[in-house]
Amino acid sequence: MAHTLRRWFDVYQGEARLFLLSALVLFFVRSSGVLFGNYAETAFLKRFGIEYLPILIVVNSLCTFVVMGFFGRLMARVPAGNLLRRALIGCGVVVGTLRLAVPLGLDLLYPVLYVLRTQFDLLLTFLFWNLANERFSTRQSKRLFPLITAGGIVGGILGSFATPLVARMTSVDNFMWLYGILVLTGATFTRSLAQEERPPSPQHAEPAEPSGRSSLFQEIRRATPVLRESSLARSLVLMTLLPNIVIPLLNYQFSFAVDMNYGSEAAMLGFYSTFRGVQYILALVISLFAGRLYARFGIPTSLLFHPLNYLFVFAGFLFQFDIFTAVYAGISVGVLRMSVHNPARTALFGLFQERERVLLRVLLRSTVVRVGLLLGSLLVLVCQSGYFAWCRSALHPQNLSPFGMFFAGLWVWVTLRLRRKYPAILLRSIGHEPPAAVAAGALVSHGVRLPADVLSRCRERVDRCYRSLFAARDLRRVSPPSPHRELLARHLEEAAKQDALETLSAAAQADSSGQLATVRRALDSGSSRRRSNALETLDHLLDRSLARPLLALLDDLAPGDRLAAGARYLKDRRPARSSAADLIGGFLRSPDRVTQLLALHLAQHGGAPSTHATDLLRLADSSTSHVRDLAAAMAHGTHDSGAVSNGPAVVTPNLVDAILLLHSLPAMAGVPVRDLAELVSSGGFVEADAGREIALDGAPFQGICLVLAGALSVEGDAVGGGLESGGALLLGPGDAFGPALPNDPCSRGLSGRVVENIRLFLVPRDRPAPLDAIAAASRFRAPCSPAPAWSR
């Protein structure tokens, strides 16, 4: 059941725990915020008065200046998980303490609660998404942020419909106690979420922001280089400023219409409960499919829905100002903001480097948001004060609609402009430098148009990749479990990804703009975020019929997830399931030498090799010695089990068994099967019994030695820094040594004593170990040279 749900919601292996913790934290943030918001808004409107709302909107904006500025500075110095946890605890303590002041009958308590409700909701949501943006890449954000949002929406639903129930069970003022309990529970889960964070490696660590207090102008000055270089940053500034100008206008219109229609505190509380419950239910339904919406239309197009709806809402208020328009406005704006707009806009931050992201977040949340809210609040206050030259009295809230339509129209224009530039912005994020003429003017990319013949060949290669994945899946289903079966299935999955990379390389050769070549280089980079941005870029450059199935192959997914993600694009081209004999026969006829060799061993160990007599006779003439020898032995009914040479204890097992031996080491577990075959073909094995003395500076120890089993004690003064107590270096499984490792002290004429029966893998000096994994296994971390080609 869990596996089915994970597949349905596109949550891949290794993401489930992080996803669930994130959704739980947002659940408690939202549920507590809704309960407290319903209480604070109702108490203010009915116990203090709506006539003070314009003034309070301005006060709220000024408080946002202080709160977001303070936390914006803390973001640069405090880990995101710790900052969110401390903020949750602080909010719970503050509200719980203020509950004690309710019996004192202080009227000013209710505007304070109204302000706190807004500030806490804005702050906690901001800090949560700041943490989520650090933990998830751009590609993951497109899939998971809508689902994480669904966790918050479920909390909003429960909080909304629990409002009247709690009000009947206890005093409405006890909502403050309940708020404190919920946010403190959320802080507990935030602690677990923070422990899931992976600290940045030293080579990728970003410099910390300057400490101390910073003014609005200092924040702008620090972010100026980012704004100057990035059109995405400039677009995000406008897409943050304009919505926050229209929010106070719409909030005032909505609150005025609600207060006009509901006269009592109980009626208003019941309205807010039902209204927000329906809002969150609709948002939950849409959020479950928002990831597919992003995949279908892209993030920039998805960002258009929200401002277009604002235009429609303000037009509705202009022509009909009543509770029905207010309900539609509140529900539609809230639903689109929660389920579609906010996750999409948050995902855009993944396109920035860590330092740029911190600077931009501080600028947007602690400066741009404050400026936008203040401008919108002042506009409401001025309109309600009758200060316009043509007005002698306050404007009715209905007449705020033209102002809202103007700013929403600007917002639509900015989003359309971002949509046009988005592919080029993605290219910039992975290091593509456009031509000077393009860089000096509009930064626009219209995608890559491949010649028809190249596009057709690429599609055929992608289909071949999926046939390999389906074959690996069917092999596991119809063949008995064995190490040889797993090795072949793993090789098929690895070959599919390698073929996908080669397909992209072939497409890049036909692309004169160099854009696909940039994507190809980014995929080979060591940065997971750059790889993710490269895949997002590819999605917007290539023809959709090629990009979508190719992306599923290139993404860092488990084989089953990769197959499920791409199989939907194959439709009627999916291969039919085959029997074990048919599968092995197909593998034997493959042009890939490693696939042939692994299939031969699987047929040998699985029985009935006579079924493939024709294929065996053909492979007996292969130009690859390992394939030729094994096929000939199987065709003539003999058994190839390896040999022992005339030299002392040098063992030569068959190639596949040697690959299995190396694959069993943790240091080699991530090395592709093809690379293991290349490595094994250049080396050999040595076995020695316990108590034997071995001279490490002579044959056969002249290249690199990898300890497979047992233990070897290396003694002597020249061992140096690797010595353990007693003047000996003890090497065990996974350790590497030898003169081909430049920093290895065992090349200084030392000898070793076998402590436990030992098995070593040898790579001769003239063919040094081709894999970085060997160097990583070395106690001395010496580098290794590239691999020789064997299997092609």
Side-chain angles (χ1 to χ4, degrees):
M1 182 65 178
H3 178 73
T4 303
L5 290 175
R6 187 174 59 80
R7 286 289 180 86
W8 173 259
F9 292 122
D10 278 347
V11 178
Y12 300 146
Q13 289 183 13
E15 298 174 339
R17 176 175 169 81
L18 192 61
F19 158 71
L20 289 175
L21 285 173
S22 301
L24 274 174
V25 172
L26 192 58
F27 170 86
F28 286 104
V29 169
R30 283 278 182 236
S31 59
S32 60
V34 168
L35 284 167
F36 184 45
N38 289 342
Y39 164 74
E41 196 164 348
T42 300
F44 168 75
L45 292 176
K46 293 307 178 185
R47 299 181 189 181
F48 203 77
I50 194 174
E51 62 272 17
Y52 297 100
L53 185 57
I55 297 175
L56 206 60
I57 290 176
V58 176
V59 172
N60 234 334
S61 301
L62 294 174
C63 290
T64 303
F65 259 93
V66 178
V67 173
M68 297 307 296
F70 174 73
F71 277 90
R73 291 189 295 272
L74 285 180
M75 282 174 55
R77 303 193 300 269
V78 181
N82 292 342
L83 189 59
L84 175 59
R85 182 170 57 87
R86 294 172 188 176
L88 285 166
I89 294 173
C91 291
V93 171
V94 168
V95 173
T97 303
L98 289 177
R99 172 63 181 87
L100 302 176
V102 171
L104 300 179
L106 301 175
D107 290 340
L108 286 177
L109 176 64
Y110 303 107
V112 169
L113 291 176
Y114 185 89
V115 171
L116 290 179
R117 164 251 181 187
T118 304
Q119 299 305 314
F120 288 174
D121 186 60
L122 178 66
L123 173 65
L124 296 180
T125 301
F126 164 59
L127 293 180
F128 170 80
W129 287 115
N130 177 59
L131 174 60
N133 209 220
E134 286 187 1
R135 298 299 296 122
F136 298 99
S137 67
T138 307
R139 296 284 298 170
Q140 289 176 313
S141 302
K142 288 177 65 176
R143 288 186 294 103
L144 299 180
F145 278 10
L147 297 176
I148 293 172
T149 300
I153 293 172
V154 171
I157 293 172
L158 295 180
S160 296
F161 289 116
T163 298
L165 178 63
V166 175
R168 287 195 296 267
M169 294 175 58
T170 182
S171 168
V172 292
D173 295 318
N174 289 334
F175 276 81
M176 300 167 71
W177 291 124
L178 185 56
Y179 174 82
I181 293 172
L182 290 175
V183 294
L184 291 176
T185 305
T188 302
F189 284 102
T190 303
R191 184 183 183 88
S192 300
L193 179 60
Q195 291 173 349
E196 287 290 308
E197 292 185 79
R198 295 186 299 270
S201 57
Q203 59 270 29
H204 298 297
E206 298 288 343
E209 282 296 294
S211 59
R213 300 183 63 82
S214 62
S215 66
L216 181 149
F217 298 103
Q218 288 175 324
E219 292 170 359
I220 295 176
R221 178 176 55 81
R222 291 173 184 168
T224 297
V226 182
L227 297 175
R228 185 186 301 116
E229 297 174 5
S230 172
S231 62
L232 175 60
R234 295 191 294 271
S235 297
L236 284 173
V237 168
L238 292 175
M239 291 171 61
T240 303
L241 177 68
L242 294 171
N244 283 283
I245 292 177
V246 301
I247 283 174
L249 277 65
L250 184 61
N251 285 349
Y252 182 64
Q253 289 180 314
F254 176 80
S255 297
F256 192 94
V258 171
D259 185 69
M260 182 177 62
N261 196 74
Y262 296 96
S264 68
E265 184 175 306
M268 182 176 289
L269 194 63
F271 165 77
Y272 277 128
S273 171
T274 304
F275 164 77
R276 291 202 167 102
V278 172
Q279 182 187 63
Y280 279 110
I281 288 175
L282 293 175
L284 175 63
V285 173
I286 294 177
S287 68
L288 295 179
F289 301 96
R292 302 183 188 276
L293 185 72
Y294 299 155
R296 175 66 180 85
F297 296 104
I299 288 179
T301 302
S302 301
L303 287 170
L304 273 172
F305 300 147
H306 196 36
L308 287 173
N309 183 65
Y310 261 107
L311 277 174
F312 183 74
V313 164
F314 282 120
F317 269 127
L318 184 62
F319 293 104
Q320 183 175 334
F321 192 89
D322 57 17
I323 189 62
F324 298 105
T325 306
V327 168
Y328 169 77
I331 288 179
S332 63
V333 167
V335 165
L336 288 176
R337 182 178 63 248
M338 286 185 290
S339 61
V340 178
H341 187 77
N342 283 353
R345 189 177 62 178
T346 303
L348 292 177
F349 283 92
L351 299 177
F352 294 97
Q353 298 296 325
E354 180 67 24
R355 179 180 175 83
E356 294 175 339
R357 189 164 63 246
V358 170
L359 289 172
L360 194 58
R361 278 190 176 279
V362 171
L363 176 68
L364 294 181
R365 286 301 182 181
S366 65
T367 300
V368 177
V369 167
R370 294 181 289 174
V371 171
L373 290 174
L374 184 59
L375 290 176
S377 303
L378 289 175
L379 181 59
V380 171
L381 183 61
V382 169
C383 291
Q384 296 310 300
S385 302
Y387 291 153
F388 283 104
W390 62 86
C391 297
R392 295 184 178 180
S393 61
L395 287 178
H396 190 276
Q398 183 176 13
N399 296 320
L400 292 173
S401 296
F403 299 101
M405 293 176 69
F406 171 75
F407 290 113
L410 287 179
W411 185 5
V412 170
W413 175 78
V414 171
T415 308
L416 286 172
R417 190 166 175 266
L418 171 65
R419 180 174 177 269
R420 185 170 63 95
K421 294 183 175 183
Y422 189 62
I425 290 171
L426 289 169
L427 283 166
R428 274 280 182 86
S429 73
I430 59 174
H432 180 75
E433 292 298 329
V438 177
L443 185 64
V444 180
S445 174
H446 298 289
V448 173
R449 297 185 182 276
L450 297 175
D453 58 332
V454 175
L455 186 62
S456 177
R457 287 198 301 269
C458 288
R459 287 171 178 163
E460 290 175 0
R461 295 184 69 165
V462 168
D463 284 355
R464 187 167 67 244
C465 293
Y466 279 106
R467 285 196 293 271
S468 294
L469 291 178
F470 278 113
R473 182 201 65 181
D474 293 344
L475 180 64
R476 289 191 173 101
R477 291 179 175 178
V478 302
S479 181
S482 71
H484 296 86
R485 184 198 73 174
E486 289 303 314
L487 198 64
L488 176 55
R490 179 189 165 192
H491 170 65
L492 293 170
E493 293 161 352
E494 293 169 349
K497 188 165 187 176
Q498 183 60 38
D499 286 346
L501 288 170
E502 293 175 359
T503 301
L504 179 57
S505 298
Q509 291 178 358
D511 173 27
S512 58
S513 68
Q515 297 176 106
L516 292 181
T518 302
V519 173
R520 182 64 182 86
R521 289 192 298 270
L523 290 177
D524 288 334
S525 69
S527 169
S528 59
R529 188 169 294 274
R530 192 179 177 204
R531 280 182 50 82
S532 174
N533 291 346
L535 294 174
E536 180 71 6
T537 305
L538 191 63
D539 196 11
H540 290 266
L541 290 180
L542 282 180
D543 182 87
R544 185 179 297 270
S545 63
L546 174 61
R548 296 302 170 82
L550 185 59
L551 285 171
L553 292 168
L554 296 174
D555 215 341
D556 295 324
L557 309 177
D561 292 327
R562 187 182 301 125
L563 187 60
R568 66 175 69 106
Y569 304 111
L570 293 179
K571 298 180 181 178
D572 56 343
R573 301 196 304 276
R574 293 178 59 172
R577 294 187 181 181
S578 304
S579 65
D582 291 339
L583 284 171
I584 294 176
F587 298 147
L588 293 175
R589 291 185 292 274
S590 169
D592 181 69
R593 299 293 183 259
V594 177
T595 302
Q596 293 174 356
L597 181 65
L598 297 176
L600 285 171
H601 276 268
L602 184 61
Q604 183 185 45
H605 289 80
S610 58
T611 308
H612 312 286
T614 303
D615 293 321
L616 292 176
L617 290 174
R618 179 180 55 83
L619 293 178
D621 295 327
S622 172
S623 59
T624 303
S625 61
H626 296 281
V627 174
R628 182 178 61 249
D629 294 344
L630 181 57
M634 293 175 63
H636 295 89
T638 60
H639 183 66
D640 178 29
S641 60
V644 179
S645 72
N646 294 329
V650 177
V651 183
T652 309
N654 66 59
L655 188 66
V656 176
D657 288 341
I659 293 173
L660 288 171
L661 281 173
L662 288 185
H663 180 58
S664 65
L665 292 178
M668 309 296 285
V671 178
V673 174
R674 186 183 304 280
D675 291 342
L676 288 175
E678 293 176 351
L679 177 60
V680 170
S681 67
S682 66
F685 292 82
V686 166
E687 294 180 349
D689 297 332
R692 181 174 177 178
E693 296 290 335
I694 301 177
L696 302 180
D697 60 343
F701 306 102
Q702 295 179 345
I704 293 178
C705 303
L706 182 64
V707 181
L708 300 179
L712 180 69
S713 176
V714 182
E715 301 178 353
D717 296 336
V719 174
L723 280 173
E724 297 184 358
S725 59
L729 176 63
L730 188 64
L731 300 174
D735 284 329
F737 66 92
L741 296 176
N743 298 328
D744 190 276
C746 296
S747 61
R748 303 173 187 172
L750 301 179
S751 63
R753 181 175 56 85
V754 179
V755 179
E756 298 177 6
N757 290 355
I758 196 167
R759 191 171 204 181
L760 305 173
F761 172 69
L762 307 177
V763 180
R765 179 185 291 275
D766 57 346
R767 299 190 67 183
L771 302 175
D772 290 338
I774 293 290
S778 171
R779 189 75 60 90
F780 313 103
R781 302 294 185 261
C784 294
S785 58
W790 169 80
S791 58
R792 294 290 182 183

